[in-house]
PDB file of all heavy atoms in Angstrom:
ATOM      1  N   SER A   9      -6.673   6.382   3.752  1.00 92.00           N
ATOM      2  CA  SER A   9      -7.435   5.412   4.532  1.00 92.00           C
ATOM      3  C   SER A   9      -7.517   5.830   5.993  1.00 92.00           C
ATOM      4  O   SER A   9      -8.569   5.683   6.623  1.00 92.00           O
ATOM      5  CB  SER A   9      -6.792   4.021   4.446  1.00 92.00           C
ATOM      6  OG  SER A   9      -6.859   3.527   3.137  1.00 92.00           O
ATOM      7  N   THR A  10      -6.422   6.356   6.511  1.00 93.00           N
ATOM      8  CA  THR A  10      -6.403   6.812   7.901  1.00 93.00           C
ATOM      9  C   THR A  10      -7.370   7.971   8.090  1.00 93.00           C
ATOM     10  O   THR A  10      -8.139   7.996   9.051  1.00 93.00           O
ATOM     11  CB  THR A  10      -4.976   7.241   8.309  1.00 93.00           C
ATOM     12  OG1 THR A  10      -4.099   6.121   8.153  1.00 93.00           O
ATOM     13  CG2 THR A  10      -4.925   7.725   9.745  1.00 93.00           C
ATOM     14  N   ALA A  11      -7.368   8.908   7.158  1.00 94.00           N
ATOM     15  CA  ALA A  11      -8.276  10.056   7.238  1.00 94.00           C
ATOM     16  C   ALA A  11      -9.736   9.615   7.138  1.00 94.00           C
ATOM     17  O   ALA A  11     -10.596  10.112   7.874  1.00 94.00           O
ATOM     18  CB  ALA A  11      -7.945  11.067   6.135  1.00 94.00           C
ATOM     19  N   ILE A  12     -10.015   8.680   6.260  1.00 95.00           N
ATOM     20  CA  ILE A  12     -11.380   8.170   6.109  1.00 95.00           C
ATOM     21  C   ILE A  12     -11.816   7.463   7.390  1.00 95.00           C
ATOM     22  O   ILE A  12     -12.921   7.683   7.888  1.00 95.00           O
ATOM     23  CB  ILE A  12     -11.484   7.219   4.894  1.00 95.00           C
ATOM     24  CG1 ILE A  12     -11.299   8.008   3.598  1.00 95.00           C
ATOM     25  CG2 ILE A  12     -12.810   6.461   4.892  1.00 95.00           C
ATOM     26  CD1 ILE A  12     -11.070   7.140   2.372  1.00 95.00           C
ATOM     27  N   PHE A  13     -10.931   6.636   7.937  1.00 96.00           N
ATOM     28  CA  PHE A  13     -11.239   5.906   9.169  1.00 96.00           C
ATOM     29  C   PHE A  13     -11.503   6.878  10.319  1.00 96.00           C
ATOM     30  O   PHE A  13     -12.485   6.735  11.053  1.00 96.00           O
ATOM     31  CB  PHE A  13     -10.096   4.948   9.511  1.00 96.00           C
ATOM     32  CG  PHE A  13     -10.295   4.207  10.792  1.00 96.00           C
ATOM     33  CD1 PHE A  13     -11.331   3.297  10.935  1.00 96.00           C
ATOM     34  CD2 PHE A  13      -9.443   4.417  11.860  1.00 96.00           C
ATOM     35  CE1 PHE A  13     -11.514   2.608  12.123  1.00 96.00           C
ATOM     36  CE2 PHE A  13      -9.618   3.735  13.052  1.00 96.00           C
ATOM     37  CZ  PHE A  13     -10.659   2.831  13.187  1.00 96.00           C
ATOM     38  N   TYR A  14     -10.635   7.879  10.465  1.00 96.00           N
ATOM     39  CA  TYR A  14     -10.805   8.888  11.517  1.00 96.00           C
ATOM     40  C   TYR A  14     -12.168   9.566  11.384  1.00 96.00           C
ATOM     41  O   TYR A  14     -12.913   9.701  12.348  1.00 96.00           O
ATOM     42  CB  TYR A  14      -9.676   9.921  11.431  1.00 96.00           C
ATOM     43  CG  TYR A  14      -9.738  10.990  12.496  1.00 96.00           C
ATOM     44  CD1 TYR A  14      -9.023  10.852  13.681  1.00 96.00           C
ATOM     45  CD2 TYR A  14     -10.508  12.138  12.318  1.00 96.00           C
ATOM     46  CE1 TYR A  14      -9.072  11.828  14.671  1.00 96.00           C
ATOM     47  CE2 TYR A  14     -10.572  13.117  13.304  1.00 96.00           C
ATOM     48  CZ  TYR A  14      -9.848  12.963  14.465  1.00 96.00           C
ATOM     49  OH  TYR A  14      -9.919  13.926  15.444  1.00 96.00           O
ATOM     50  N   ARG A  15     -12.533   9.959  10.160  1.00 97.00           N
ATOM     51  CA  ARG A  15     -13.816  10.629   9.921  1.00 97.00           C
ATOM     52  C   ARG A  15     -14.995   9.698  10.235  1.00 97.00           C
ATOM     53  O   ARG A  15     -16.014  10.125  10.775  1.00 97.00           O
ATOM     54  CB  ARG A  15     -13.881  11.093   8.453  1.00 97.00           C
ATOM     55  CG  ARG A  15     -15.123  11.871   8.098  1.00 97.00           C
ATOM     56  CD  ARG A  15     -15.128  13.251   8.730  1.00 97.00           C
ATOM     57  NE  ARG A  15     -16.213  13.312   9.704  1.00 97.00           N
ATOM     58  CZ  ARG A  15     -16.333  14.186  10.691  1.00 97.00           C
ATOM     59  NH1 ARG A  15     -15.432  15.112  10.873  1.00 97.00           N
ATOM     60  NH2 ARG A  15     -17.329  14.156  11.513  1.00 97.00           N
ATOM     61  N   GLN A  16     -14.859   8.437   9.887  1.00 97.00           N
ATOM     62  CA  GLN A  16     -15.925   7.473  10.157  1.00 97.00           C
ATOM     63  C   GLN A  16     -16.134   7.292  11.662  1.00 97.00           C
ATOM     64  O   GLN A  16     -17.275   7.197  12.111  1.00 97.00           O
ATOM     65  CB  GLN A  16     -15.627   6.126   9.503  1.00 97.00           C
ATOM     66  CG  GLN A  16     -15.818   6.147   8.013  1.00 97.00           C
ATOM     67  CD  GLN A  16     -15.549   4.801   7.374  1.00 97.00           C
ATOM     68  OE1 GLN A  16     -14.806   3.976   7.901  1.00 97.00           O
ATOM     69  NE2 GLN A  16     -16.137   4.588   6.231  1.00 97.00           N
ATOM     70  N   VAL A  17     -15.043   7.258  12.417  1.00 98.00           N
ATOM     71  CA  VAL A  17     -15.176   7.150  13.873  1.00 98.00           C
ATOM     72  C   VAL A  17     -15.835   8.416  14.420  1.00 98.00           C
ATOM     73  O   VAL A  17     -16.725   8.344  15.269  1.00 98.00           O
ATOM     74  CB  VAL A  17     -13.815   6.879  14.557  1.00 98.00           C
ATOM     75  CG1 VAL A  17     -13.944   6.941  16.080  1.00 98.00           C
ATOM     76  CG2 VAL A  17     -13.258   5.524  14.133  1.00 98.00           C
ATOM     77  N   ARG A  18     -15.422   9.596  13.945  1.00 97.00           N
ATOM     78  CA  ARG A  18     -16.055  10.858  14.385  1.00 97.00           C
ATOM     79  C   ARG A  18     -17.549  10.833  14.074  1.00 97.00           C
ATOM     80  O   ARG A  18     -18.370  11.200  14.920  1.00 97.00           O
ATOM     81  CB  ARG A  18     -15.423  12.072  13.683  1.00 97.00           C
ATOM     82  CG  ARG A  18     -14.048  12.443  14.116  1.00 97.00           C
ATOM     83  CD  ARG A  18     -13.917  12.883  15.571  1.00 97.00           C
ATOM     84  NE  ARG A  18     -14.870  13.906  15.950  1.00 97.00           N
ATOM     85  CZ  ARG A  18     -15.458  13.976  17.160  1.00 97.00           C
ATOM     86  NH1 ARG A  18     -15.166  13.104  18.094  1.00 97.00           N
ATOM     87  NH2 ARG A  18     -16.315  14.936  17.440  1.00 97.00           N
ATOM     88  N   ASP A  19     -17.912  10.400  12.868  1.00 97.00           N
ATOM     89  CA  ASP A  19     -19.323  10.307  12.495  1.00 97.00           C
ATOM     90  C   ASP A  19     -20.067   9.339  13.408  1.00 97.00           C
ATOM     91  O   ASP A  19     -21.189   9.610  13.829  1.00 97.00           O
ATOM     92  CB  ASP A  19     -19.481   9.863  11.034  1.00 97.00           C
ATOM     93  CG  ASP A  19     -19.077  10.935  10.043  1.00 97.00           C
ATOM     94  OD1 ASP A  19     -18.936  12.121  10.441  1.00 97.00           O
ATOM     95  OD2 ASP A  19     -18.889  10.591   8.856  1.00 97.00           O
ATOM     96  N   PHE A  20     -19.429   8.212  13.712  1.00 97.00           N
ATOM     97  CA  PHE A  20     -20.028   7.224  14.619  1.00 97.00           C
ATOM     98  C   PHE A  20     -20.336   7.868  15.966  1.00 97.00           C
ATOM     99  O   PHE A  20     -21.427   7.728  16.508  1.00 97.00           O
ATOM    100  CB  PHE A  20     -19.085   6.029  14.787  1.00 97.00           C
ATOM    101  CG  PHE A  20     -19.544   5.047  15.820  1.00 97.00           C
ATOM    102  CD1 PHE A  20     -20.448   4.053  15.493  1.00 97.00           C
ATOM    103  CD2 PHE A  20     -19.073   5.121  17.123  1.00 97.00           C
ATOM    104  CE1 PHE A  20     -20.891   3.151  16.453  1.00 97.00           C
ATOM    105  CE2 PHE A  20     -19.507   4.229  18.084  1.00 97.00           C
ATOM    106  CZ  PHE A  20     -20.427   3.241  17.752  1.00 97.00           C
ATOM    107  N   VAL A  21     -19.358   8.579  16.508  1.00 97.00           N
ATOM    108  CA  VAL A  21     -19.513   9.225  17.819  1.00 97.00           C
ATOM    109  C   VAL A  21     -20.647  10.252  17.776  1.00 97.00           C
ATOM    110  O   VAL A  21     -21.493  10.292  18.672  1.00 97.00           O
ATOM    111  CB  VAL A  21     -18.194   9.906  18.251  1.00 97.00           C
ATOM    112  CG1 VAL A  21     -18.389  10.796  19.461  1.00 97.00           C
ATOM    113  CG2 VAL A  21     -17.123   8.852  18.515  1.00 97.00           C
ATOM    114  N   GLU A  22     -20.668  11.070  16.743  1.00 97.00           N
ATOM    115  CA  GLU A  22     -21.649  12.143  16.650  1.00 97.00           C
ATOM    116  C   GLU A  22     -23.064  11.638  16.384  1.00 97.00           C
ATOM    117  O   GLU A  22     -24.034  12.275  16.788  1.00 97.00           O
ATOM    118  CB  GLU A  22     -21.225  13.127  15.555  1.00 97.00           C
ATOM    119  CG  GLU A  22     -19.961  13.884  15.924  1.00 97.00           C
ATOM    120  CD  GLU A  22     -19.340  14.654  14.768  1.00 97.00           C
ATOM    121  OE1 GLU A  22     -19.914  14.653  13.653  1.00 97.00           O
ATOM    122  OE2 GLU A  22     -18.273  15.236  14.976  1.00 97.00           O
ATOM    123  N   LYS A  23     -23.196  10.483  15.740  1.00 97.00           N
ATOM    124  CA  LYS A  23     -24.516   9.999  15.338  1.00 97.00           C
ATOM    125  C   LYS A  23     -25.084   8.899  16.239  1.00 97.00           C
ATOM    126  O   LYS A  23     -26.241   8.527  16.070  1.00 97.00           O
ATOM    127  CB  LYS A  23     -24.456   9.488  13.902  1.00 97.00           C
ATOM    128  CG  LYS A  23     -24.200  10.610  12.906  1.00 97.00           C
ATOM    129  CD  LYS A  23     -24.072  10.095  11.509  1.00 97.00           C
ATOM    130  CE  LYS A  23     -23.799  11.252  10.556  1.00 97.00           C
ATOM    131  NZ  LYS A  23     -23.501  10.808   9.206  1.00 97.00           N
ATOM    132  N   THR A  24     -24.281   8.390  17.161  1.00 97.00           N
ATOM    133  CA  THR A  24     -24.764   7.322  18.041  1.00 97.00           C
ATOM    134  C   THR A  24     -25.616   7.922  19.154  1.00 97.00           C
ATOM    135  O   THR A  24     -25.123   8.718  19.953  1.00 97.00           O
ATOM    136  CB  THR A  24     -23.589   6.520  18.641  1.00 97.00           C
ATOM    137  OG1 THR A  24     -22.849   5.923  17.577  1.00 97.00           O
ATOM    138  CG2 THR A  24     -24.082   5.433  19.582  1.00 97.00           C
TER     139      THR A  24
END
Side-chain angles (χ1 to χ4, degrees):
S9 295
T10 301
I12 292 167
F13 177 65
Y14 181 94
R15 183 71 246 161
Q16 286 181 335
V17 173
R18 288 297 309 144
D19 289 345
F20 173 85
V21 169
E22 292 168 3
K23 293 177 181 173
T24 299

